[in-house]
Amino acid sequence: MRAPDARAMTAFRVLGAVTLATTVLSACANRDDVTVIKLGHGLDVTHPVHRAMEAMAADVAERSSGRMRIDLYPSEQLGTERQLLELLQIGSVGMTKVSAAVLENFAPEFLVLSLPYIFRDEAHHFAVLDGPIGRELLSGLVPYRLRGMTFYDAGSRSFYTKDRPVDHPDDLAGLKLRTQESATAMELVRRLGASPTPIAWGELYSALQQGIVDGAENNPPSFHLSGHYEIARYYSLDMHTRVPDVLVVSMDVWSRLSEVERGWLTEAVTESTRLQRVLWRVAVDEALAAVEAAGVQVLRPDPAPFAQQVEGMFDAYRSEPVIYDLIARIRSFSPEGPYPDEPN
C-alpha cells in the first residue's frame, strides 16, 4: 500500500472533520435558516467516493458554521444514476455522483471519456480532467440544467467473469456481460465479441448469481465492495477504460444559492477531490489484496490486443466533427503543456 504524502495527510484531516460535523448538523437540523442540499448516489457507505462526500458535507458545515448542510442518501435510496440526474434537472434533488458514462445520455460529449484506451496512463488521465478540457466538459452540462463540479477518480475498469479467465479478447466471445446504460460501453463489449446487457448496479449481484450475465466490468474497489467477487472468481486487469465519476449539482439548486454559499460548496468540493484521490489509491490496493486473499484469480493480460480490437471506435466518430475533434485533443494532450486549446 502506498504511504500518503504530506498533501494526502492534509486531505485526511478534512475527513477527520466528519465527527465534528455530526454535532454541528444535529444542532442545526431544525433551524429555519439552514440551506439543505440533498445528495443522492448509488454507492455503498464504505466506498471511497462516499467517504469523500462525507468529508465534503463536514467541510461545508464547518465553513458555514452550520448554516449550510448536505444530506447524503447512498445506495440508490433516491434512485438510480439516470433517475437522479432527471431529479436534478427538475430540482427535486440537489446533487449526485454519477459515472461519466451515464452523463453521455444527457451531454453527448461525455461519451469520449468512456472510449477504450483514450488515456495513455493515469497521469494523462488526470491532466486532461484537471485541465481546460475537463473544465469545458463540466461547464457543458449547464444547457441540460446540470452543473458539473468535479471529477472523482474511478480508476480503470476491467472485466470480471464467473466461469473462465480472460487473457485475450477471444476469451470474451459469446459471454453476456453487464454494462452501464451507455451506448459507448455497449459498443466496446460488442467489439470484443461479447453481448452487452445493461443492468442497474444494485441488481447486478443477483443477475450474476442467477446466470443472467456471465460477468461484468468495473474498478477494483467496486468489484470488492459489491461482493461480486463472491460469484465472479476471475478478474482480468485489461484496464480498458478510465471512466471518471462526476459530481453534479442541479442548476435549479445552484441558482438559489448565494455567492457565499457557492463559495463554501466549491471550496469543499475541491478539498473532497484531493481526499478522494488519496482514498482511491489506498482502496485499489486493499481491494486487490482482499479479492486475491478470497481466492479470486487476478490476471494481468497484455492490453495491446484489446486496444487493437477496439481502435475502430475512434474512427466511427469521423462523421461527428465536434466529438472527433475532442477525441483528437484528448489523445494528443500533453500534461506538460502548453494546452492544445489555449494559445502559447
Side-chain angles (χ1 to χ4, degrees):
M1 183 186 304
R2 302 178 180 86
D5 55 21
R7 184 175 176 183
M9 294 306 298
T10 300
F12 276 118
R13 285 196 289 272
V14 176
L15 183 62
V18 173
T19 303
L20 171 64
T22 302
T23 303
V24 174
L25 295 184
S26 60
C28 71
N30 295 321
R31 286 172 50 186
D32 293 334
D33 58 346
V34 176
T35 298
V36 180
I37 299 177
K38 291 165 59 178
L39 191 164
H41 67 86
L43 299 173
D44 181 87
V45 295
T46 59
H47 197 284
V49 171
H50 177 82
R51 293 172 62 196
M53 291 189 292
E54 281 186 316
M56 177 180 67
D59 198 358
V60 163
E62 187 175 15
R63 290 176 189 275
S64 68
S65 300
R67 287 174 287 169
M68 188 173 182
R69 191 175 92 209
I70 298 175
D71 290 347
L72 299 175
Y73 298 85
S75 304
E76 295 189 345
Q77 291 180 49
L78 302 182
T80 64
E81 290 195 333
R82 185 178 185 116
Q83 290 168 341
L84 281 165
L85 286 172
E86 292 169 351
L87 290 171
L88 258 68
Q89 288 180 311
I90 62 175
S92 295
V93 175
M95 297 179 72
T96 190
K97 184 291 309 173
V98 297
S99 170
V102 179
L103 276 172
E104 73 182 64
N105 297 298
F106 296 77
E109 293 80 6
F110 271 82
L111 70 83
V112 300
L113 301 182
S114 296
L115 288 170
Y117 304 106
I118 190 169
F119 300 109
R120 294 186 293 276
D121 50 32
E122 185 180 74
H124 178 224
H125 174 245
F126 285 137
V128 169
L129 297 185
D130 295 340
I133 296 175
R135 293 192 293 272
E136 176 185 314
L137 285 167
L138 292 176
S139 63
L141 290 171
V142 172
Y144 306 96
R145 304 182 69 181
L146 305 167
R147 178 184 174 87
M149 297 295 290
T150 193
F151 291 102
Y152 285 142
D153 187 11
S156 57
R157 299 176 74 94
S158 296
F159 293 110
Y160 50 91
T161 48
K162 291 174 57 178
D163 301 321
R164 68 182 189 229
V166 175
D167 278 314
H168 187 273
D170 292 348
D171 297 324
L172 292 167
L175 296 183
K176 293 178 295 181
L177 297 179
R178 179 267 178 178
T179 67
Q180 297 168 289
E181 292 186 39
S182 157
T184 309
M186 289 188 281
E187 179 62 16
L188 163 66
V189 168
R190 285 192 197 97
R191 285 180 179 262
L192 291 173
S195 299
T197 307
I199 294 174
W201 179 247
E203 299 171 7
L204 180 51
Y205 188 98
S206 60
L208 286 164
Q209 204 169 37
Q210 296 166 17
I212 296 172
V213 290
D214 302 304
E217 49 87 50
N218 217 313
N219 53 60
S222 295
F223 176 53
H224 176 228
L225 294 173
S226 63
H228 295 168
Y229 71 94
E230 298 168 355
I231 305 168
R233 306 298 285 171
Y234 302 98
Y235 192 30
S236 180
L237 299 178
D238 66 297
M239 297 184 288
H240 48 266
T241 55
R242 295 179 181 272
V243 185
D245 283 335
V246 187
L247 185 66
V248 184
V249 64
S250 162
M251 277 304 298
D252 181 69
V253 170
W254 180 261
S255 66
R256 289 190 269 116
L257 296 179
S258 69
E259 286 300 318
V260 173
E261 289 172 329
R262 291 178 183 179
W264 291 333
L265 180 58
T266 300
E267 290 164 4
V269 166
T270 299
E271 291 302 316
S272 78
T273 303
R274 295 187 182 123
L275 172 62
Q276 189 272 334
R277 292 181 183 179
V278 174
L279 294 175
W280 186 264
R281 291 198 303 269
V282 174
V284 168
D285 291 341
E286 292 180 341
L288 289 175
V291 299
E292 285 190 289
V296 171
Q297 185 177 345
V298 177
L299 302 100
R300 292 170 172 80
D302 179 5
F306 294 86
Q308 183 177 8
Q309 193 155 325
V310 298
E311 178 67 23
M313 290 182 67
F314 297 106
D315 291 333
Y317 292 101
R318 286 185 179 275
S319 61
E320 301 181 42
V322 173
I323 300 297
Y324 194 71
D325 177 67
L326 185 54
I327 291 169
R329 288 166 58 203
I330 290 174
R331 298 189 89 181
S332 64
F333 185 85
S334 170
E336 290 77 29
Y339 297 133
D341 59 343
E342 292 185 344
N344 293 330

